[in-house]
Amino acid sequence: MTQTIFITGASSGMGKDTAKLFHSKGWNVVATMRSPEKETELTELENVLVLRLDVTDHDSIDAARDVAVAAYGKIDVLLNNAGYGAFGPLETFPMAGIEKQFATNVLGLIATTKAFIPHMRANASGTIVNVSSMGGRVTLPLASLYHGTKYAVEGFTESLRYELEAFGVRVKLVEPGNVNTDFSSRSLEFVMDQSIQEYLPIAGGMTKLFEKMGPDASEVSAASEAIWSAATDGSDTLRYVVGEDARKILSKRNSQDDDAFHATMKTMMT
Ligand SMILES: NC(=O)c1ccc[n+]([C@@H]2O[C@H](COP(=O)([O-])OP(=O)(O)OC[C@H]3O[C@@H](n4cnc5c(N)ncnc54)[C@H](OP(=O)(O)O)[C@@H]3O)[C@@H](O)[C@H]2O)c1
């Protein structure tokens, strides 16, 4: 029987590339996005259903799930991909921006997951793939909010694994390093008050760190192929790291204690 994947944030980047990859492999694809009326490519593909879903609008999650189940009967894989980055010194962020970051990357992912558990439990099968980041296990400066959300996704997923494996549902984490999507131009909200001098040195250090890490960025296909593996390899593997940059930095993180790793990162900011 043809299998079906349900994707959040399928309007661009990894979500869209994953939709196209699964379609090319003969899957049914439910490609959800905030503004489906703007989509012109996925709507042309057979067995791709484009639906509206904003992860911060929980009614839209239930509505899209119901349409998807009515169309395809069974959802085999849920890909929680929607997300964005709130970067900048914490004190310059309005509370509304902080709440939006967690409402999208954490509560939106949790609400979508929760909406599909009864369906997967009834089928005694299913795989939930959560797009975290290497930033769910290591941190960069001026990104306390983004890392807070991705560390939350990691803890949430690890614990949920115990809960769902009992009835045949797998949960997995995809942890990309830098991936060449439009994330930094369209999904990165940088809030900084230049008049607060104290943050200028760390902002400069962050720029240097990004410059050093930039050349190691992966193509988007590396991320969608990792998602394909997570969804289809039949294993209970929890984590799928994407990219040489992520592999290198996570290996360094695992080999050093907290303070040594902090010092290593600071040398990369000079
Ligand atoms: N690119 C990287 O280097 C990188 C590295 C590690 C992890 N990641 C993670 O990978 C995921 C995908 O990012 P990407 O690189 O593919 O960037 P992207 O092309 O900017 O995609 C982000 C997607 O999230 C969607 N989105 C944002 N808020 C949403 C909401 N409230 N409801 C539904 N969809 C929403 C966006 O939809 P709109 O079109 O409506 O804005 C867009 O489709 C994110 O979770 C990100 O944190 C990216």
Side-chain angles (χ1 to χ4, degrees), residues 2-4 22 32 36 43 82 94 107-108 117 130 157-158 161 164 166 175 183 185 193 238 254:
T2 305
Q3 298 199 79
T4 302
F22 278 69
T32 73
T43 44
L107 295 177
I117 291 174
N130 291 335
T157 307
E158 276 195 25
R161 185 187 194 189
L164 303 190
E175 300 175 327
F183 184 81
S185 54
D193 179 345
L238 176 66
N254 290 337

Side-chain angles (χ1 to χ4, degrees), residues 222-264:
S224 48
E225 278 157 21
I227 292 165
W228 172 257
S229 297
T232 63
D233 69 7
S235 78
D236 290 323
T237 303
L238 176 66
R239 289 192 163 85
Y240 296 74
V241 175
V242 180
E244 264 320 294
D245 57 344
R247 272 185 275 279
K248 270 193 236 162
I249 205 165
L250 289 170
S251 146
K252 180 65 86 181
R253 180 68 189 92
N254 290 337
S255 68
Q256 293 188 315
D257 67 24
D258 296 344
D259 300 329
F261 183 72
H262 184 72
T264 298

Side-chain angles (χ1 to χ4, degrees), residues 25-262:
K25 306 270 191 186
W27 283 50
N28 298 320
V29 176
V30 185
T32 73
M33 56 193 72
R34 288 190 286 196
S35 308
E37 67 284 357
K38 293 187 190 154
E39 180 58 37
T40 54
E41 193 181 358
L42 297 176
T43 44
E44 293 302 306
L45 302 178
E46 213 179 316
N47 300 326
V48 175
L49 185 60
V50 175
L51 297 177
R52 181 184 171 271
L53 187 158
D54 177 334
V55 295
T56 65
D57 169 0
H58 299 173
D59 289 344
S60 78
I61 299 172
D62 291 350
R65 176 206 54 205
D66 291 348
V67 172
V69 171
Y72 296 127
K74 180 172 179 243
I75 306 301
D76 299 284
V77 176
L78 165 64
L79 175 64
N80 281 311
N81 163 74
Y84 77 99
F87 280 55
L90 179 62
E91 75 165 275
T92 60
F93 256 91
M95 260 332 276
I98 295 171
E99 284 169 9
K100 184 177 166 212
Q101 173 74 134
F102 280 80
T104 305
N105 292 12
V106 182
L107 295 177
L109 178 146
I110 292 174
T112 312
T113 303
K114 186 175 184 304
F116 277 89
I117 291 174
H119 176 77
M120 291 186 172
R121 182 169 49 73
N123 293 330
S125 76
T127 302
I128 299 167
V129 181
N130 291 335
V131 179
S132 172
S133 168
M134 69 178 174
R137 289 202 281 152
V138 295
T139 65
L140 306 177
L142 300 186
S144 59
L145 298 171
Y146 183 66
H147 290 300
T149 68
K150 292 300 185 182
Y151 273 62
V153 167
E154 298 266 334
F156 167 76
T157 307
E158 276 195 25
S159 178
L160 198 65
R161 185 187 194 189
Y162 297 111
E163 198 170 311
L164 303 190
E165 68 186 0
F167 46 80
V169 176
R170 294 184 168 116
V171 288
K172 299 194 171 227
L173 286 160
V174 170
E175 300 175 327
N178 281 320
V179 178
N180 284 325
T181 63
D182 295 332
F183 184 81
S184 57
S185 54
R186 73 196 296 290
S187 296
L188 205 123
E189 181 190 10
F190 189 77
V191 176
M192 172 128 176
D193 179 345
Q194 298 289 339
S195 71
I196 309 181
Q197 301 286 317
E198 288 89 336
Y199 292 119
L200 297 182
I202 191 70
M206 185 181 81
T207 306
K208 289 206 173 78
L209 188 59
F210 277 127
E211 279 165 10
K212 286 183 185 163
M213 292 170 68
D216 274 345
S218 305
E219 292 310 312
V220 69
S221 58
S224 48
E225 278 157 21
I227 292 165
W228 172 257
S229 297
T232 63
D233 69 7
S235 78
D236 290 323
T237 303
L238 176 66
R239 289 192 163 85
Y240 296 74
V241 175
V242 180
E244 264 320 294
D245 57 344
R247 272 185 275 279
K248 270 193 236 162
I249 205 165
L250 289 170
S251 146
K252 180 65 86 181
R253 180 68 189 92
N254 290 337
S255 68
Q256 293 188 315
D257 67 24
D258 296 344
D259 300 329
F261 183 72
H262 184 72

